[in-house]
Amino acid sequence: MDKIAVLIPCYNEEKTIGKVVADARQALPEAVIYVYDNNSKDKTVELAQKAGAVIRHERKQGKGNVIRRMFREIDALCYIMIDGDDTYPLEYARVMADKVLLENSDMVVGDRLSSTYYQENKRPFHNMGNSLVKSSINMLFHSEIQDIMTGYRAFSYQFVKSFPVLSKGFEIETEMTIHAVYNNMQVDNVIVNYRDRPEGSESKLNTYSDGIRVLNTILKMFRQYKPLAYFTLLAVLLTVLSAAFFIPVFWEFWKTGMVDKFPTLIVCGFVELAAIQSVFAGLILHNLGVKERRDFELQLNDIQERLERKK
């Protein structure tokens, strides 16, 4: 088992990967540095190997797929995950690792948004998207995470081995954050500087398609992790819709004693039945979620025992 493993997912990062590996070796000389290549078509693998990294491969395209492979294959007391584009300085890696190794943090978030991100990033929709996602997650899950979508993080062994990777792409960071918050794991923020990509290095993010995927992930996670709130909100919306169509029918009945719009009345009844079913669905899923939380705590105990044996 490694003490510290630096995990670098890469796809066509020949402009920067050599520097990132060298900086990691300087910041954490005791760490093993893993570069996971995701079908790069340039010299990423050659330059990373020359810089001293251990090279491994993930053939399924997508950052989520790469991280799934990393978390399955690597055993370490502390994991530092960083992008290969040289946008995050490695000088903060020691502080982040110490929070995991010495302060029992499960996840340490490299917070770009509280420092230089908004000045360095030249894509206004990315800035707006980061703020929107941050506000949404913190409001829905009552958390205080300062940067939801940062690619600079540190993890404990317990987090890595208990995290079910479901996302395939860049929405993986959002999924990580919700998993940690929902399961009451210790999450710390470390403010880090951010610098934009150097000239000639191209981002793999698509502002619109990846943004939609992240928002879909938030909605999906809200439904899965907060089913009672989600289905109660749905029930309220259905009730409002039913009432909006029922009031004119009731008003006509009040004045004339006649119901002329039976089809509308019938539809209102079915919509309200759907609202009631939504509430019960939320209650059932909420109770199942409580059971999953209990099972998760037992799973953490098993992971801790496995960690002790590996030590």
mmCIF file of all heavy atoms in Angstrom, residues 141-156:
data_model
loop_
_atom_site.group_PDB
_atom_site.id
_atom_site.type_symbol
_atom_site.label_atom_id
_atom_site.label_comp_id
_atom_site.label_asym_id
_atom_site.label_seq_id
_atom_site.Cartn_x
_atom_site.Cartn_y
_atom_site.Cartn_z
ATOM 1 N N PHE A 141 -28.478 20.179 0.066
ATOM 2 C CA PHE A 141 -27.900 19.220 1.004
ATOM 3 C C PHE A 141 -27.375 19.868 2.284
ATOM 4 O O PHE A 141 -26.710 19.207 3.085
ATOM 5 C CB PHE A 141 -26.788 18.422 0.311
ATOM 6 C CG PHE A 141 -27.295 17.528 -0.793
ATOM 7 C CD1 PHE A 141 -27.369 17.993 -2.100
ATOM 8 C CD2 PHE A 141 -27.734 16.248 -0.531
ATOM 9 C CE1 PHE A 141 -27.847 17.182 -3.126
ATOM 10 C CE2 PHE A 141 -28.213 15.432 -1.542
ATOM 11 C CZ PHE A 141 -28.273 15.899 -2.835
ATOM 12 N N HIS A 142 -27.668 21.169 2.458
ATOM 13 C CA HIS A 142 -27.304 21.881 3.696
ATOM 14 C C HIS A 142 -25.810 21.725 4.011
ATOM 15 O O HIS A 142 -25.425 21.394 5.139
ATOM 16 C CB HIS A 142 -28.145 21.370 4.871
ATOM 17 C CG HIS A 142 -29.617 21.357 4.599
ATOM 18 N ND1 HIS A 142 -30.357 22.520 4.470
ATOM 19 C CD2 HIS A 142 -30.497 20.340 4.399
ATOM 20 C CE1 HIS A 142 -31.622 22.214 4.226
ATOM 21 N NE2 HIS A 142 -31.736 20.899 4.164
ATOM 22 N N SER A 143 -25.004 21.949 3.004
ATOM 23 C CA SER A 143 -23.556 21.814 3.156
ATOM 24 C C SER A 143 -22.874 23.172 2.972
ATOM 25 O O SER A 143 -23.528 24.178 2.687
ATOM 26 C CB SER A 143 -23.010 20.810 2.123
ATOM 27 O OG SER A 143 -23.317 21.238 0.800
ATOM 28 N N GLU A 144 -21.566 23.169 3.150
ATOM 29 C CA GLU A 144 -20.795 24.395 2.994
ATOM 30 C C GLU A 144 -19.568 24.144 2.112
ATOM 31 O O GLU A 144 -18.473 24.632 2.386
ATOM 32 C CB GLU A 144 -20.363 24.933 4.359
ATOM 33 C CG GLU A 144 -21.534 25.344 5.249
ATOM 34 C CD GLU A 144 -21.102 25.883 6.588
ATOM 35 O OE1 GLU A 144 -19.882 25.866 6.866
ATOM 36 O OE2 GLU A 144 -21.965 26.329 7.375
ATOM 37 N N ILE A 145 -19.749 23.381 1.049
ATOM 38 C CA ILE A 145 -18.660 23.118 0.115
ATOM 39 C C ILE A 145 -18.442 24.370 -0.734
ATOM 40 O O ILE A 145 -19.379 24.912 -1.311
ATOM 41 C CB ILE A 145 -18.978 21.911 -0.792
ATOM 42 C CG1 ILE A 145 -19.432 20.713 0.055
ATOM 43 C CG2 ILE A 145 -17.772 21.567 -1.642
ATOM 44 C CD1 ILE A 145 -18.402 20.192 0.985
ATOM 45 N N GLN A 146 -17.210 24.805 -0.830
ATOM 46 C CA GLN A 146 -16.928 26.065 -1.517
ATOM 47 C C GLN A 146 -16.653 25.906 -3.008
ATOM 48 O O GLN A 146 -16.713 26.880 -3.752
ATOM 49 C CB GLN A 146 -15.722 26.755 -0.844
ATOM 50 C CG GLN A 146 -15.969 27.109 0.606
ATOM 51 C CD GLN A 146 -17.208 27.974 0.787
ATOM 52 O OE1 GLN A 146 -17.406 28.958 0.079
ATOM 53 N NE2 GLN A 146 -18.059 27.605 1.733
ATOM 54 N N ASP A 147 -16.343 24.688 -3.461
ATOM 55 C CA ASP A 147 -16.069 24.471 -4.889
ATOM 56 C C ASP A 147 -16.505 23.051 -5.228
ATOM 57 O O ASP A 147 -15.808 22.086 -4.906
ATOM 58 C CB ASP A 147 -14.588 24.680 -5.185
ATOM 59 C CG ASP A 147 -14.292 24.748 -6.678
ATOM 60 O OD1 ASP A 147 -15.180 24.395 -7.475
ATOM 61 O OD2 ASP A 147 -13.178 25.159 -7.053
ATOM 62 N N ILE A 148 -17.641 22.931 -5.875
ATOM 63 C CA ILE A 148 -18.232 21.616 -6.129
ATOM 64 C C ILE A 148 -17.513 20.870 -7.243
ATOM 65 O O ILE A 148 -17.332 19.656 -7.199
ATOM 66 C CB ILE A 148 -19.721 21.759 -6.493
ATOM 67 C CG1 ILE A 148 -20.483 22.519 -5.399
ATOM 68 C CG2 ILE A 148 -20.355 20.395 -6.745
ATOM 69 C CD1 ILE A 148 -20.528 21.832 -4.073
ATOM 70 N N MET A 149 -17.050 21.602 -8.268
ATOM 71 C CA MET A 149 -16.582 20.951 -9.489
ATOM 72 C C MET A 149 -15.068 20.987 -9.678
ATOM 73 O O MET A 149 -14.565 20.732 -10.764
ATOM 74 C CB MET A 149 -17.276 21.602 -10.690
ATOM 75 C CG MET A 149 -18.793 21.464 -10.634
ATOM 76 S SD MET A 149 -19.649 22.324 -11.964
ATOM 77 C CE MET A 149 -19.113 21.339 -13.366
ATOM 78 N N THR A 150 -14.339 21.291 -8.633
ATOM 79 C CA THR A 150 -12.891 21.306 -8.740
ATOM 80 C C THR A 150 -12.335 19.907 -9.012
ATOM 81 O O THR A 150 -12.845 18.906 -8.498
ATOM 82 C CB THR A 150 -12.259 21.872 -7.458
ATOM 83 O OG1 THR A 150 -10.833 21.839 -7.573
ATOM 84 C CG2 THR A 150 -12.667 21.078 -6.231
ATOM 85 N N GLY A 151 -11.277 19.843 -9.809
ATOM 86 C CA GLY A 151 -10.614 18.577 -10.075
ATOM 87 C C GLY A 151 -9.427 18.321 -9.173
ATOM 88 O O GLY A 151 -8.678 17.353 -9.375
ATOM 89 N N TYR A 152 -9.229 19.169 -8.173
ATOM 90 C CA TYR A 152 -8.094 19.084 -7.246
ATOM 91 C C TYR A 152 -8.631 18.676 -5.883
ATOM 92 O O TYR A 152 -9.250 19.472 -5.178
ATOM 93 C CB TYR A 152 -7.423 20.448 -7.180
ATOM 94 C CG TYR A 152 -6.042 20.497 -6.561
ATOM 95 C CD1 TYR A 152 -5.346 19.349 -6.209
ATOM 96 C CD2 TYR A 152 -5.414 21.722 -6.333
ATOM 97 C CE1 TYR A 152 -4.083 19.416 -5.677
ATOM 98 C CE2 TYR A 152 -4.149 21.815 -5.807
ATOM 99 C CZ TYR A 152 -3.482 20.662 -5.468
ATOM 100 O OH TYR A 152 -2.218 20.739 -4.928
ATOM 101 N N ARG A 153 -8.424 17.427 -5.510
ATOM 102 C CA ARG A 153 -8.984 16.895 -4.272
ATOM 103 C C ARG A 153 -8.035 15.898 -3.626
ATOM 104 O O ARG A 153 -7.177 15.308 -4.295
ATOM 105 C CB ARG A 153 -10.324 16.192 -4.532
ATOM 106 C CG ARG A 153 -11.410 17.091 -5.102
ATOM 107 C CD ARG A 153 -12.628 16.293 -5.515
ATOM 108 N NE ARG A 153 -13.580 17.127 -6.232
ATOM 109 C CZ ARG A 153 -14.768 17.507 -5.772
ATOM 110 N NH1 ARG A 153 -15.161 17.103 -4.584
ATOM 111 N NH2 ARG A 153 -15.566 18.269 -6.486
ATOM 112 N N ALA A 154 -8.241 15.694 -2.341
ATOM 113 C CA ALA A 154 -7.555 14.630 -1.615
ATOM 114 C C ALA A 154 -8.610 13.736 -0.978
ATOM 115 O O ALA A 154 -9.674 14.222 -0.563
ATOM 116 C CB ALA A 154 -6.628 15.204 -0.549
ATOM 117 N N PHE A 155 -8.314 12.432 -0.907
ATOM 118 C CA PHE A 155 -9.282 11.468 -0.384
ATOM 119 C C PHE A 155 -8.609 10.518 0.602
ATOM 120 O O PHE A 155 -7.412 10.230 0.498
ATOM 121 C CB PHE A 155 -9.871 10.608 -1.508
ATOM 122 C CG PHE A 155 -10.463 11.384 -2.645
ATOM 123 C CD1 PHE A 155 -9.793 11.487 -3.856
ATOM 124 C CD2 PHE A 155 -11.692 12.000 -2.515
ATOM 125 C CE1 PHE A 155 -10.335 12.186 -4.911
ATOM 126 C CE2 PHE A 155 -12.251 12.704 -3.569
ATOM 127 C CZ PHE A 155 -11.569 12.803 -4.771
ATOM 128 N N SER A 156 -9.411 10.011 1.507
ATOM 129 C CA SER A 156 -8.969 8.930 2.381
ATOM 130 C C SER A 156 -9.224 7.584 1.706
ATOM 131 O O SER A 156 -9.971 7.487 0.728
ATOM 132 C CB SER A 156 -9.729 8.986 3.710
ATOM 133 O OG SER A 156 -11.109 8.684 3.497
#
